[in-house]
Amino acid sequence: LRTLTGILQETLKDAPGPAAGVLKKLLAPLDAVLEGFYNAILLHHFDSHHYTSPYSEAANSLMSFIDLLEALLASRMELELPLRCQRILFLKVSYVLNIISSSIPYVIKKKFILLLKKCVLYKSREDAKSGSLFLQTPSLCEDMLALSNAVLQVVNLSWLNQIPLHGKSSCFGSSEAAPGHDSQGGSDQTVLRALSLVVLKALEFKIHNSATEAEIK
């Protein structure tokens, strides 16, 4: 995972033209493999004892996989037609949402939440150049709509109430400390802002892409 992430990060430092060619040669043969990784790793039982510590081997591997997902997201801008492995985070974001509300260590939850923030702020090169407030790239529109639908669906089911805003504090929307914990540390403002932005952007995108007034309501 670390080797592949490192190669992607180094390749992205190249000029756009050469980088696109290298990325396609590197990722196209691995497309199905990486989707298989995504399914196998993120559908794991994260409430098991292997993930009780952020320093365990299992937790370390999961954080390395998040780094790879981040590199795949960044590499998406270089290819005109993104590969499945560069879209999977959007299309199957429900796996990530489930992990965030599981009992894995807070540091991993935070890393996933910040990755979601990067997803909702992502723009293709064409969209970035146009300066338009609305996405023009069809594949990205499709992916962002899938992500928005998944986020709004879980938010509607009280998903936010299960998200801690501090490693030692209580959950979203509450100022009370969890039993036995000191409340002086306050909420993690980075996570609070990121979660709020994810929900707001999902809502904004859904409204702009809703066909009927009933859908918008």
Side-chain angles (χ1 to χ4, degrees):
L1 292 174
R2 286 176 179 165
T3 301
L4 186 53
T5 303
I7 293 171
L8 283 171
Q9 289 170 339
E10 287 302 311
T11 304
L12 290 171
K13 293 177 183 177
D14 296 337
V22 172
L23 286 169
K24 199 161 189 178
K25 282 182 183 177
L26 174 68
L27 294 176
L30 294 173
D31 204 20
V33 176
L34 290 172
E35 183 173 0
F37 268 18
Y38 187 92
N39 294 337
I41 293 174
L42 299 192
L43 272 179
H44 199 69
H45 187 61
F46 289 102
D47 293 322
S48 73
H49 67 280
H50 298 295
Y51 295 92
T52 51
S53 167
Y55 306 107
S56 67
E57 187 179 351
N60 202 20
S61 295
L62 184 56
M63 286 195 277
S64 294
F65 189 61
I66 299 171
D67 291 336
L68 176 59
L69 290 174
E70 192 172 333
L72 286 169
L73 177 66
S75 71
R76 176 176 179 151
M77 187 177 279
E78 303 300 330
L79 299 184
E80 192 174 333
L81 291 173
L83 297 165
R84 177 82 179 175
C85 64
Q86 293 170 308
R87 303 180 62 191
I88 195 72
L89 184 57
F90 293 85
L91 299 176
K92 295 187 177 180
V93 73
S94 58
Y95 295 9
V96 171
L97 298 173
N98 288 337
I99 293 171
I100 291 172
S101 61
S102 74
S103 61
I104 57 166
Y106 180 76
V107 65
I108 302 178
K109 291 177 189 274
K110 182 171 181 175
K111 206 167 169 66
F112 268 122
I113 289 167
L114 295 179
L115 179 60
L116 282 182
K117 176 188 168 184
K118 289 186 177 181
C119 286
V120 298
L121 293 176
Y122 178 81
K123 282 189 175 182
S124 68
R125 198 181 297 280
E126 292 75 17
D127 288 324
K129 280 180 184 175
S130 72
S132 171
L133 293 175
F134 309 109
L135 301 178
Q136 310 295 322
T137 313
S139 62
L140 185 54
C141 281
E142 182 185 333
D143 293 356
M144 203 66 83
L145 190 58
L147 184 145
S148 299
N149 284 334
V151 167
L152 294 175
Q153 187 174 9
V154 295
V155 167
N156 204 36
L157 296 172
S158 303
W159 175 79
L160 287 173
N161 295 332
Q162 303 169 52
I163 314 301
L165 286 179
H166 194 284
K168 293 183 178 180
S169 191
S170 57
C171 292
F172 194 99
S174 171
S175 59
E176 296 178 9
H181 290 306
D182 181 11
S183 62
Q184 295 303 309
S187 299
D188 185 331
Q189 296 300 306
T190 302
V191 169
L192 176 59
R193 285 194 297 268
L195 275 172
S196 301
L197 184 64
V198 167
V199 176
L200 286 170
K201 294 296 281 186
L203 196 58
E204 177 190 44
F205 193 79
K206 180 66 176 173
I207 287 171
H208 285 311
N209 289 273
S210 295
T212 65
E213 193 174 334
E215 267 190 303
I216 293 172
K217 285 182 180 178

